[in-house]
Amino acid sequence: MVQNKIEKSDTEWKNILTPEQYHVLRQKGTERPFSGNLYYNKEKGVYTCAACGQELFSSSTKFESGSGWPSFYDVISSDRVRLQEDTSYFMNRIEVVCARCGSHLGHVFEDGPEPTGKRYCINSVSLGFRKEDEAAKEKGKE
């Protein structure tokens, strides 16, 4: 279930995000490949939106794509993200945004592993991470 939508002004986002997070999440930027701290993360847990905390991806769907960005073959629930056409930079891609706050996460491609065949290629700076035991504690509070 998607939590209540979050709407903030650019000034508010700038006050709570780092400059790099703001550039990627709010201005649809991209971090350099292989530079994000979560690209190498192998721990079990839940990946969240760095801007609003909504749970997006499970570590059980993370895989090594060789792309340089964290890759997942599925989302926790389809209502957690919105997919929209992106024709920037003279390319046709599908952008992935957080359904709760509208932040840019990355793109999805049709070259992933089974069972979905999808590769959600997500900027590490767009994500937070909660270890499995921390995520379980959070679920108990809801």
Side-chain angles (χ1 to χ4, degrees), residues 61 63 72-75 108-120:
T61 65
F63 70 99
F72 306 86
Y73 63 79
D74 209 357
V75 292
V108 63
F109 302 94
E110 298 291 332
D111 61 0
E114 293 299 326
T116 65
K118 297 193 182 308
R119 173 174 54 98
Y120 290 85

Side-chain angles (χ1 to χ4, degrees), residues 19-73:
E20 185 181 20
Q21 286 175 321
Y22 182 80
H23 173 66
V24 173
L25 290 159
R26 306 310 303 173
Q27 297 179 316
K28 301 184 181 196
T30 302
E31 67 190 357
R32 289 185 341 271
F34 303 101
S35 67
N37 63 330
L38 292 175
Y39 175 71
Y40 300 100
N41 186 31
K42 305 280 189 225
E43 295 188 76
K44 291 183 180 180
V46 174
Y47 291 85
T48 61
C49 175
C52 72
Q54 176 165 252
E55 293 183 351
L56 302 168
F57 301 97
S58 167
S59 60
S60 65
T61 65
K62 188 173 190 252
F63 70 99
E64 176 53 57
S65 69
S67 66
W69 293 278
S71 297
F72 306 86
Y73 63 79

Side-chain angles (χ1 to χ4, degrees), residues 110-142:
E110 298 291 332
D111 61 0
E114 293 299 326
T116 65
K118 297 193 182 308
R119 173 174 54 98
Y120 290 85
C121 189
I122 307 298
N123 289 286
S124 187
V125 73
S126 296
L127 297 171
F129 181 74
R130 284 201 315 266
K131 291 181 184 178
E132 194 170 65
D133 55 339
E134 294 168 2
K137 287 177 188 173
E138 283 295 315
K139 282 277 188 221
K141 291 180 184 176
E142 294 178 0

